[in-house]
Amino acid sequence: MTSSAPSPQPVDDPQPSPGYGPPPAPAASGNDTATPDPAPAAEPRPASVGDAARTQEAEHREPSTESYWTAQANQRVGINRGVMIGTLIEQGIRRLRGTILTSKDVDAHLRTYVRGKDDDHAINEILAVGPVAVLTGADGSGRFSTALDVLRRRVGDTIRQVRREPGTPFALDGLHEHKTGWILDLRAETPPAGFGRELAEDAHKLPSGSLLIVLIGTAAWEECGQDAAHLSHLLAGPVRADILHKHLKRAPLVFGSDRWIEAEPIKQGIAGLQPSQIQAWANAIVNTEDVERDKGRLTLARIKSDDTYFTSLVQNVVKAAEDWRSDLLEWHTNHQDSDYRNYLLAAAVLEGASSEKIYEASTTLAKALKETPQSRPGQQGLGVVALTQKANADLQPDGTIRFRYHNYAEAVVDYFLDDRPHLLQEFTRWTAAQVTGLDEDLAEPLAPRVSQWVVHYTARHRRTRLLKSLAEQWSTTNSDAACDLLVLAALDDRTGELARNAYRRWTKPEAGPLTADFTAVLIRACRRLAEAYPTSMLGRIAELAAGAHLDGDANDDRTPQVTEAVSEALNALWDDSEQRSGIHRQLTQWASDPHAPHRAAAQSTFAHLAQRRTPNGPALLTDPAIDTSWLTDMWRNALPTTGWSPPVAEAFAYWMQSALDHPEQGEAIEQIVRDAVHRAADPHYSANRLIAMQNLLYSWAPAPPAPQAIDVTHLRDQLLTGLRAQDPAAPPLLGTYARQP
């Protein structure tokens, strides 16, 4: 109940921040936007303002020993070498497993959180009466962060999220820890009617000193919160200017946060935003000044004398925070030549690469999009300098190309994905090729950047075609990046439920066959996600294992690749003591489930686990925590009564050989085989199970003219004789007739 994975996260940031960083991680911070552990952050660009300007800058910000970029979630993924995605995944899984949130985690989540005084007062009034409070609100209203803030002040650092699979029932009596702050995240679910009444009635069941805060959507609570209105509070959130000020608190600003916040276009821009969306504006402000420093334009003289300069910077901030959409629309209207457009897109994908690499990439992009690149012999056509100028980028002294504005590269890619949906497949193949064709220094950060674009696109369009396409492409050339992409999408607040449902859909035969490379990557991703969602991901692995053997050719060299991935995944999960008991319970439930797909999942999973080996025989048989009754039930369910199963046949052959190689295990194995077909307590004898067992025995020890070892055929025939004798309706043995007159 409370020990499985938590519910999927909601779309608490429907318009993700367009900053350089990744989308919000599952754990929310700064009003429902995640903040990872401070990973190696991108270093700010070197300031070019003089000492006097730096002095003025210091006067406009609060002193701090921590840099702005270290404190922010949206770090520049393009130059942090992929550390960000690994950090997001690790932190997300840790939280979803229900482990106690570290003080470092909570600090990161609350670093830019602004407490709403009215909200805080109302929540404290609820908790003064009882230990349960329900926070409702719109997407991005700060429910998770508010819960963390309230619980930390009341219970200290012992805060954890209720671990449960999406859609599973919840009961308060499953929370046993004393003096613990619990967060039940139902933002993406609608509990059944009466849920609120049960919360109110069972609140006394919480252990002494513990508190529970439930996060739920406003509409969902209206449906299930009857008789519990006194437990809930609708979050209004703090003043938006206060949120932006908190984000800019540690920012290295020359103009000062107050001047930026008081600018009318910025005040209007943030007025209607959810708190989680304001970080994009903070990033845009900081990066706009950063770019100006880098260009040497942010001088003290200009700051004091040129008011129009600041006005132009404000306009750039607004455009960056709004994803440069209006500017890009105008640019594409004025530049309809593919030569310009392909160069712009290539530069956006490969920002930071050499001009030569980008120039060549624009040609390969044209070919990928089924265009005929313009011939450029000699000095014909536009060169790098002109194309770069037209693309709103600059040719750096070291020969690399950088865009002039914050977030412009990401905005270019987003614009293309929206503008040319019919070219997604071609663009995906080309992008995947860039990741694998670049030097390591450029390829390493490009994969995380591309992953962020794909997750962003998936969240906005609510479809997984691009996600699957890129993962398939990378599975053959960059399997680690493909696995990270699938895991990240499944954990992200905005795409998690959508992605996990897609993974299940992809495993179905009607979805079409998956390549061996992609199947193996998907299995690896499910293995990592099983730490957070053990039941559903174990099912995905079992379905992928079954599908691979149904679709694959036994003589296909690729089939062992999938089998190996399944075995590695199940073995790794089984070796995890925290996972083993859950797998044991799940297999027991599936094996007796009336639904055939669940029984098939149990069959496939058990078949792979049954092949685990030790020097003394099958690992399951020699495990003191596993009893023979359970093994008998598992083998009974695994018998191929409706279709042949190669994994089951392989596991059975290993057990039979173990009975010969380890005589001390022989009696137990033979008893399990007999009882798998028929126990004394069974009301009826199953002919289907007997036939399935006969097929397994002859698969292990074929009849003549196949070569036969005496001990093998003896064990086979001995078991067959015993199995037939168990049938009460079986005719007498031939020897009985021979003695009759």
Side-chain angles (χ1 to χ4, degrees):
M1 199 276 314
T2 59
S3 299
S4 46
S7 61
Q9 301 304 309
V11 184
D12 254 14
D13 188 0
Q15 295 177 342
S17 301
Y20 276 81
S29 80
N31 302 65
D32 282 9
T33 304
T35 302
D37 296 335
E43 291 296 329
R45 300 181 186 182
S48 58
V49 183
D51 292 340
R54 293 191 185 93
T55 302
Q56 179 174 338
E57 168 191 332
E59 293 172 353
H60 284 285
R61 72 175 191 270
E62 299 180 30
S64 173
T65 57
E66 184 179 36
S67 75
Y68 172 81
W69 286 111
T70 301
Q72 294 308 301
N74 283 356
Q75 298 175 49
R76 301 178 189 176
V77 172
I79 51 177
N80 78 356
R81 301 189 178 277
V83 175
M84 176 63 68
I85 286 184
T87 302
L88 289 174
I89 290 172
E90 179 184 354
Q91 187 182 36
I93 288 179
R94 191 166 63 240
R95 181 179 67 87
L96 295 174
R97 290 183 66 182
T99 56
I100 294 177
L101 295 176
T102 67
S103 179
K104 182 180 179 182
D105 286 340
V106 178
D107 286 341
H109 297 319
L110 298 180
R111 184 173 283 114
T112 55
Y113 172 74
V114 176
R115 185 179 304 147
K117 294 181 180 179
D118 293 340
D119 290 333
D120 192 56
H121 178 71
I123 297 167
N124 285 329
E125 283 191 334
I126 296 172
L127 293 177
V129 177
V132 177
V134 178
L135 303 185
T136 67
D139 292 341
S141 57
R143 289 162 289 182
F144 194 95
S145 302
T146 302
L148 280 180
D149 179 56
V150 170
L151 291 175
R152 168 172 264 191
R153 286 180 287 131
R154 285 180 166 267
V155 301
D157 289 331
T158 311
I159 303 173
R160 58 201 311 165
Q161 181 165 316
V162 176
R163 185 180 187 183
R164 53 186 290 278
E165 288 275 357
T168 56
F170 168 77
L172 272 164
D173 53 12
L175 306 180
H176 305 295
E177 288 77 1
H178 292 264
K179 297 181 180 179
T180 299
W182 290 97
I183 298 176
L184 174 60
D185 194 345
L186 302 177
R187 290 176 293 177
E189 297 184 54
T190 300
F195 173 75
R197 183 176 59 254
E198 292 174 3
L199 279 179
E201 293 174 351
D202 295 343
H204 67 280
K205 295 181 180 180
L206 270 176
S208 173
S210 290
L211 299 175
L212 171 68
I213 296 183
V214 181
L215 316 180
I216 194 169
T218 305
W221 181 248
E222 289 176 355
E223 293 185 26
C224 69
Q226 295 86 353
D227 303 321
H230 61 288
L231 297 180
S232 68
H233 174 68
L234 175 64
L235 288 182
V239 177
R240 298 315 187 245
D242 292 345
I243 299 173
L244 183 55
H245 185 273
K246 185 69 176 286
H247 278 289
L248 296 175
K249 183 178 180 180
R250 296 179 177 87
L253 297 176
V254 173
F255 282 103
S257 59
D258 289 343
R259 187 171 180 185
W260 283 108
I261 294 170
E262 290 168 3
E264 193 59 33
I266 293 177
K267 287 170 66 175
Q268 293 177 359
I270 66 174
L273 297 181
Q274 294 295 345
S276 60
Q277 297 171 303
I278 293 178
Q279 186 171 316
W281 289 74
N283 284 358
I285 290 170
V286 174
N287 276 282
T288 296
E289 281 204 7
D290 205 16
V291 170
E292 293 301 296
R293 281 196 194 91
D294 206 23
K295 296 300 177 185
R297 295 189 289 255
L298 196 58
T299 63
L300 189 58
R302 193 170 192 182
I303 291 170
K304 291 181 176 180
S305 62
D306 190 355
D307 289 338
T308 59
Y309 175 58
F310 180 73
T311 301
S312 68
L313 296 186
V314 169
Q315 292 302 320
N316 284 345
V317 167
V318 174
K319 292 176 183 178
E322 294 178 349
D323 217 16
W324 294 101
R325 189 52 58 101
S326 58
D327 262 34
L328 287 170
L329 174 60
E330 181 181 355
W331 190 95
H332 281 80
T333 302
N334 295 333
H335 299 85
Q336 299 190 20
D337 191 314
S338 288
D339 225 25
Y340 289 117
R341 294 182 174 187
N342 289 331
Y343 188 85
L344 174 71
L345 186 56
V349 172
L350 302 176
E351 185 184 20
S354 68
S355 58
E356 180 183 5
K357 177 63 71 175
I358 292 175
Y359 192 78
E360 293 172 352
S362 66
T363 301
T364 62
L365 175 60
K367 293 178 181 177
L369 301 182
K370 298 181 174 61
E371 298 177 347
T372 302
Q374 294 186 16
S375 177
R376 297 166 178 164
Q379 293 198 53
Q380 295 183 27
L382 294 173
V384 168
V385 175
L387 288 169
T388 302
Q389 176 73 18
K390 289 291 186 182
N392 287 323
D394 290 319
L395 182 62
Q396 304 296 315
D398 62 357
T400 61
I401 290 177
R402 290 280 182 187
F403 284 96
R404 297 170 187 163
Y405 308 119
H406 162 61
N407 195 47
Y408 202 81
E410 279 66 25
V412 168
V413 176
D414 282 342
Y415 186 95
F416 172 82
L417 295 176
D418 289 342
D419 193 45
R420 306 286 170 166
H422 62 289
L423 296 176
L424 285 182
Q425 288 287 94
E426 292 82 356
F427 178 69
T428 302
R429 282 194 291 269
W430 177 82
T431 306
Q434 303 313 301
V435 172
T436 56
L438 291 174
D439 295 336
E440 184 178 352
D441 288 347
L442 287 173
E444 205 171 295
L446 179 57
R449 287 181 67 203
V450 174
S451 296
Q452 302 303 332
W453 297 333
V454 172
V455 172
H456 188 175
Y457 178 88
T458 302
R460 286 188 293 115
H461 293 273
R462 309 306 299 167
R463 51 180 188 261
T464 58
R465 184 170 54 137
L466 183 60
L467 174 67
K468 183 181 181 184
S469 179
L470 182 62
E472 283 181 319
Q473 290 293 318
W474 276 349
S475 66
T476 59
T477 56
N478 196 342
S479 60
D480 288 342
C483 185
D484 282 345
L485 171 62
L486 293 172
V487 174
L488 180 67
L491 293 176
D492 185 81
D493 276 356
R494 304 156 302 162
T495 61
E497 184 179 20
L498 180 70
R500 294 192 299 273
N501 288 340
Y503 302 167
R504 180 169 193 171
R505 188 172 63 253
W506 298 346
T507 65
K508 303 299 182 183
E510 54 268 26
L514 304 176
T515 66
D517 289 328
F518 183 54
T519 302
V521 165
L522 190 53
I523 289 169
R524 286 174 53 198
C526 291
R527 166 188 163 183
R528 292 169 67 182
L529 290 168
E531 294 186 53
Y533 305 102
T535 301
S536 56
M537 290 305 125
L538 183 64
R540 296 300 84 74
I541 293 172
E543 290 163 355
L544 286 164
H549 283 283
L550 288 174
D551 298 336
D553 182 349
N555 297 318
D556 190 339
D557 291 338
R558 298 174 301 167
T559 302
Q561 177 186 359
V562 177
T563 303
E564 182 180 358
V566 171
S567 297
E568 287 180 357
L570 293 175
N571 287 338
L573 294 175
W574 188 261
D575 286 336
D576 184 344
S577 58
E578 293 184 11
Q579 298 281 0
R580 181 178 301 187
S581 59
I583 295 176
H584 187 282
R585 287 194 304 270
Q586 194 60 63
L587 290 179
T588 302
Q589 178 183 331
W590 280 345
S592 58
D593 196 292
H595 295 88
H598 286 169
R599 295 196 304 275
Q603 180 192 70
S604 177
T605 304
F606 176 75
H608 283 87
L609 292 175
Q611 296 180 57
R612 289 170 57 89
R613 307 179 180 217
T614 72
N616 300 319
L620 292 182
L621 188 63
T622 57
D623 189 336
I626 303 295
D627 57 46
T628 54
S629 176
W630 184 79
L631 291 172
T632 299
D633 290 340
M634 290 299 103
W635 271 115
R636 173 173 289 201
N637 176 72
L639 291 176
T641 56
T642 58
W644 189 246
S645 171
V648 171
E650 293 167 11
F652 183 82
Y654 170 57
W655 279 52
M656 289 297 96
Q657 192 60 45
S658 296
L660 297 176
D661 296 341
H662 305 281
E664 70 280 6
Q665 306 289 357
E667 183 177 349
I669 292 175
E670 291 180 40
Q671 187 64 49
I672 289 171
V673 168
R674 289 192 294 269
D675 288 350
V677 175
H678 183 77
R679 282 186 173 123
D682 291 341
H684 305 288
Y685 194 82
S686 172
N688 287 339
R689 287 200 296 267
L690 175 60
I691 293 172
M693 185 60 75
Q694 287 176 335
N695 290 337
L696 286 175
L697 285 166
Y698 276 106
S699 173
W700 169 59
Q708 294 180 306
I710 295 177
D711 56 345
V712 171
T713 56
H714 175 74
L715 179 56
R716 180 199 65 194
D717 295 342
Q718 175 181 308
L719 285 169
L720 285 172
T721 301
L723 290 170
R724 290 169 184 149
Q726 290 178 167
D727 186 356
L733 297 176
L734 292 177
T736 304
Y737 290 105
R739 289 192 295 271
Q740 294 179 355

